[in-house]
Amino acid sequence: MGLVVVWCILLILLCCSIEISFGSTRRHFKWDVEYMFWSPDCLESVVMGINGQFPGPTIRAQAGDTIFVQLTNKLHTEGVVIHWHGIRQLGTPWADGTASISQCAINPGETFDYRFKVDKAGTYIYHGHLGMQRSAGLYGSLIVEVGVGEEEPFHYDDEFNLLLSDWWHQSVRDQEVGLSSKPFRWVGEPQTLLINGRGQFNCSLAAHFSNTSMNACTLRGDEQCAPQVLRVLPNRTYRLRVASITALASLNLAVGNHKMVVVEADGNYVQPFEVEDMDIYSGESYSVLLTTNQDQSKNYWISVGVRGRKPQTPQALAILNYSPTSQSKLPILPPPITPTWNAYDHSKSFSNKIFALMGSPKPLKNPDRRIILLNTQNYIDGYIKWAINNISLLLPSTPYLGSIKYSLKSAFDNKNPPENFANDYDVMKPPMNPNSTNGNGVYMLGLNSTVDVILQNANALAVNVSEIHPWHLHGHNFWVLGYGEGRFSAKKDEKKFNLRNPPLRNTAVIFPFGWTALRFVADNPGVWAFHCHIEPHLHMGMGVVFAQGVEHVNDIPNQALACGLTGKRFMKKTKQN
Amino acid sequence: MGLVVVWCILLILLCCSIEISFGSTRRHFKWDVEYMFWSPDCLESVVMGINGQFPGPTIRAQAGDTIFVQLTNKLHTEGVVIHWHGIRQLGTPWADGTASISQCAINPGETFDYRFKVDKAGTYIYHGHLGMQRSAGLYGSLIVEVGVGEEEPFHYDDEFNLLLSDWWHQSVRDQEVGLSSKPFRWVGEPQTLLINGRGQFNCSLAAHFSNTSMNACTLRGDEQCAPQVLRVLPNRTYRLRVASITALASLNLAVGNHKMVVVEADGNYVQPFEVEDMDIYSGESYSVLLTTNQDQSKNYWISVGVRGRKPQTPQALAILNYSPTSQSKLPILPPPITPTWNAYDHSKSFSNKIFALMGSPKPLKNPDRRIILLNTQNYIDGYIKWAINNISLLLPSTPYLGSIKYSLKSAFDNKNPPENFANDYDVMKPPMNPNSTNGNGVYMLGLNSTVDVILQNANALAVNVSEIHPWHLHGHNFWVLGYGEGRFSAKKDEKKFNLRNPPLRNTAVIFPFGWTALRFVADNPGVWAFHCHIEPHLHMGMGVVFAQGVEHVNDIPNQALACGLTGKRFMKKTKQN
């Protein structure tokens, strides 16, 4: 124990330091990103790690703190950026960590200084946002506690962090090549689901129950793939911070014999509600309270399974271990069964239970603008893509933040992207004309205007196929005003919007053949990605870009713009030096 | 045939164009670099290709031409550069294509315009020079014919190009991670040798001969891995342009029943000499003349095997096909046997037969400076490295060309690297103190000074092990003054230097436990890499950097320096714009 403490202190001295000044704290971290051998699911792979860890180190801070991350790219040929998912980056849009949007990728050997304020308590994530580096394992947790003297609107005795992800054995490079090939090669379903970076491939912890044909795992407990054990005391209340950073999988989490009370979603408090199991989509986070009111001589499964796609991936398992019961004692009941993958009513029922906690900010009655975004699967020159209002996003090499601020008109498509789609488009059928185009235009939003976005799902290329897409907005929270079936109709559907207590989120799902209505205030000067959080879908063009008040953005570090046309332009002026 | 012609014209229109003005020609190429699925050895892999080709397109030009390559990086997360191996880049040192030395890596989505003059006829190569992208397949041939009205000093009727390489099934990313891991994981011997990007894994074209236990390959001939066929007419003389761009393997080439006359080495004419087989190391090129004076009713093997390392890789085979014999008729004799891997006398004998053609430039009698470079295998913090005079090269993130020109002293180690090594160092034994340090200092050479470099080999970390290292110099040719055994002794060895007709080269090998003496004139303003051409060795630090007359270098494109400290510095000045 003493050794562990010494080691922790050493680690802190090496990688991070804390300065407290006038009530707000500056938290400094030094991170190296590099590839390393790791066995997330007992099979050795190469993962993208931070400071030798996978997942990356958890950042813990208090609301009001300023985080400094000095990120060094130790990769040999690849650039890197890190996005702080859920942090609004008020005043620091250049620190949002989105390559081609908020900054140039950090080159190999270079260091970039991220600086941002964590103004709101909540459960957040960070992850790579260049190519498909998130799929390669570049992610971790960012936990913001309430500020000094503040209190959460619920009680708990202790907390655990559960970061959920999915894992493939095929390298991300090969996945990317397949997605960009003709004929198209899909990445397929993940081999393994991971809880805190831990999963088991080709064996099951629950093999002695009848519901699996796999061999039992033989693990000592100290392996990189050994399951997470949550050691709890009886009759206490625990906060589980659950976040999903999957590349693809929509998930469902359940704890054997225990109910959960949902209290937070994406860093926003919600009206507490009790569930037996919870759906969670990529990019979302929740806090749930769990009371350890069961037989303390037993342990219980925490199980995570796939929703929304025909699952070929076994459940991930962790263990809720009642002290003083041995953690190696297996639960006597089988793991909770994940609801059927296509039981969408179950998913919708969960989503529809989420309301903002009383006292949360409410939306204005009417938006200044409404943008309707049709989600379709398309072809470009025979390559399969995803497109929004028939444009597939192909990011430019110069970050928008610089090209908009400095009016470099040739850096991206200056035409406004479409606000709507054809009246006669049938969302229930495959596209009549499946051909799309690449584009990188920007939705320019009035600063402080209220914007509605209707995400409209549709039939993909194949008949009777429509997929789940969790959309994530950078730099803002939006209110989820409602979900509906079929094509959105302003006349019919608008009046059903929840304007009383819609939940604030940064990620919201569209269900197959349905629509989701969002409202947000464009009050954060900067350029912000809004995209499907499924990594291969974003790679295939499923996103748009919003900008607002870029003229008010100052103090962009030079390094953030030292590429593409901004890099060229600034250097040209100094040619004679 | 007509279709092929149309297709060729289309291809030329798409990717390249030619302008002729005042006798010298400008040749324009548009290249896209991207990963793609390919089966170099009949097994599908991902290779780094150019315009959908592997190896990349062959450039053909005439001496005096100017080449323009507009290179677009279509990789998703990786930078890229291309080095024009053997081209001196007189006046265009920024076009040498070495990341961290002559330019910033080209970012994903960006285009860089290479421009350089090919002033000397010869057989050259181009290849990636960032991380180990060369190992990933980023290479091709660059053939420079004599200028208009000029003649080669030998006769031939036609020519063929043979670009030799080695291929691994493990991805380069995983190779790099292994090389940078503790415990160290070596890349191992290549799975397959390739001739013009074509090899056969797990089967043999020559299986019906007794010297192999492998199955016969069943190929139609149109596969990506089908062997190269050289269709020749009887009683003609052919020039074979043979270049090796292996990542690791030293090779030997032989043609069944045919002798070869060596006439060119690395773009320099040599005294013609006849051989039965020839050794070729990574980074070297030769032209050999072959006369088709054998039985024209038969075909003959061209075989390539491994030297200098215990071979675990089968011979690569191509077919010399006498017209009108069918190309599918297999040779009746088994392929020529590669000399035993450790028959170093055979290798040395070949190297020692190479002399400059009469009339070639001769070295000055005495150098202005002599730098002795000890090649050792070492540890840094337990990681295995290669070091030169106990410094393992770790390239900086700012290219030297900019940081030297603009005196950015913090961009690299300003201390001069050592000119020699300890007197009591025993090159025949493993290092007494195997610990090394990383460094990136530069050997600053007087402009137009004559410099001797003695490459001193030594025992590696294991007892009785010393390896072959082919050293390649950018921006210059050097004279190879001689090879010797054991530790170089100025007193004893200098007088044996060949100052009469030493061959000019850009690559020279050091033999196990031996030394090689080189002389060159530092007459090319710029910053130039000098390194072991074995890709994993360079990755492990086996190189040095020379600079000379950088103050005379002008017109460096901004984009070449838009990274690291040059990028930051230039942008700082324009912050208020």
Side-chain angles (χ1 to χ4, degrees), chain A residues 453-473:
Chain A
V453 172
I454 311 296
L455 288 166
Q456 177 66 60
N457 211 339
N459 197 107
L461 285 167
V463 180
N464 284 330
V465 173
S466 182
E467 299 184 15
I468 281 179
H469 304 286
W471 277 75
H472 170 65
L473 177 59

Side-chain angles (χ1 to χ4, degrees), chain B residues 299-427:
Chain B
N299 292 330
Y300 302 87
W301 295 114
I302 298 170
S303 77
V304 174
V306 173
R307 303 297 319 278
R309 307 181 67 92
K310 208 166 183 178
Q312 291 160 21
T313 314
Q315 285 181 327
L317 296 174
I319 290 162
L320 186 72
N321 164 226
Y322 272 64
S323 176
T325 304
S326 160
Q327 65 169 59
S328 58
K329 183 173 175 182
L330 282 178
I332 55 160
L333 290 170
I337 292 166
T338 303
T340 321
W341 69 275
N342 56 357
Y344 290 113
D345 284 346
H346 188 92
S347 305
K348 290 171 190 170
S349 150
F350 179 79
S351 293
N352 283 315
K353 277 182 197 147
I354 305 170
F355 299 108
L357 187 65
M358 217 167 342
S360 301
K362 284 187 186 186
L364 282 181
K365 274 236 156 117
N366 292 301
D368 297 306
R369 180 172 174 185
R370 176 169 292 158
I371 300 169
I372 300 179
L373 300 177
L374 175 69
N375 290 233
T376 51
Q377 200 178 30
N378 302 74
Y379 290 111
I380 297 179
D381 301 332
Y383 294 94
I384 297 183
K385 301 283 178 186
W386 287 94
I388 304 307
N389 292 349
N390 216 31
I391 295 175
S392 183
L393 181 63
L394 187 67
L395 288 169
S397 49
T398 309
Y400 291 105
L401 191 61
S403 49
I404 295 175
K405 181 159 176 73
Y406 297 105
S407 305
L408 306 182
K409 306 244 173 201
S410 62
F412 62 94
D413 193 347
N414 287 260
K415 228 177 60 187
N416 295 323
E419 306 260 321
N420 206 335
F421 60 98
N423 272 325
D424 60 353
Y425 192 97
D426 187 346
V427 301

Side-chain angles (χ1 to χ4, degrees), chain A residues 44 77 79 110 185 562 564 570, chain B residues 44 77-79 110 185 564 571:
Chain A
E44 191 183 69
T77 56
E110 295 199 42
R185 302 195 195 176
F570 293 153
Chain B
E44 190 185 70
T77 57
E78 295 182 55
E110 295 198 42
R185 303 194 195 177
M571 301 221 9

Side-chain angles (χ1 to χ4, degrees), chain A residues 35-37 44-47 76-79 105 107-111 130-133 136 170-174 176-178 180-181 185 397 406 539 555-556 558-559 561-575 577, chain B residues 35-37 44-47 76-79 105 107-111 130-133 136 170-174 176-178 180-181 185 397 406 539 555-556 558-559 561-575 577:
Chain A
Y35 282 116
M36 55 187 195
F37 293 112
E44 191 183 69
S45 294
V46 168
V47 303
H76 298 295
T77 56
E78 295 182 54
N107 290 320
E110 295 199 42
T111 297
L130 169 65
M132 293 188 11
Q133 290 182 344
Q170 188 186 34
S171 77
V172 165
R173 187 200 65 180
D174 292 5
E176 284 180 353
V177 176
S180 310
S181 286
R185 302 195 195 176
S397 50
Y406 297 105
H539 190 75
D555 300 323
I556 306 171
N558 290 322
Q559 201 190 344
L561 302 180
C563 67
L565 294 179
T566 36
K568 260 188 195 164
R569 173 173 178 266
F570 293 153
M571 304 229 354
K572 199 149 277 164
K573 296 204 171 158
T574 55
K575 201 169 174 178
N577 285 303
Chain B
Y35 283 115
M36 55 188 194
F37 293 111
E44 190 185 70
S45 294
V46 168
V47 305
H76 298 296
T77 57
E78 295 182 55
N107 291 319
E110 295 198 42
T111 298
L130 169 65
M132 292 187 13
Q133 290 182 344
Q170 187 185 35
S171 78
V172 166
R173 187 199 65 180
D174 292 4
E176 285 180 353
V177 177
S180 309
S181 286
R185 303 194 195 177
S397 49
Y406 297 105
H539 190 74
D555 300 323
I556 306 171
N558 290 321
Q559 201 190 343
L561 303 180
C563 66
L565 294 179
T566 36
K568 261 188 197 165
R569 172 174 179 265
F570 293 153
M571 301 221 9
K572 199 151 279 164
K573 297 202 171 159
T574 55
K575 201 167 177 180
N577 284 301

Side-chain angles (χ1 to χ4, degrees), chain B residues 228-240:
Chain B
Q228 188 72 47
V229 176
L230 279 55
R231 189 156 174 90
V232 294
L233 295 170
N235 302 311
R236 297 284 199 283
T237 297
Y238 290 89
R239 177 181 191 167
L240 306 185

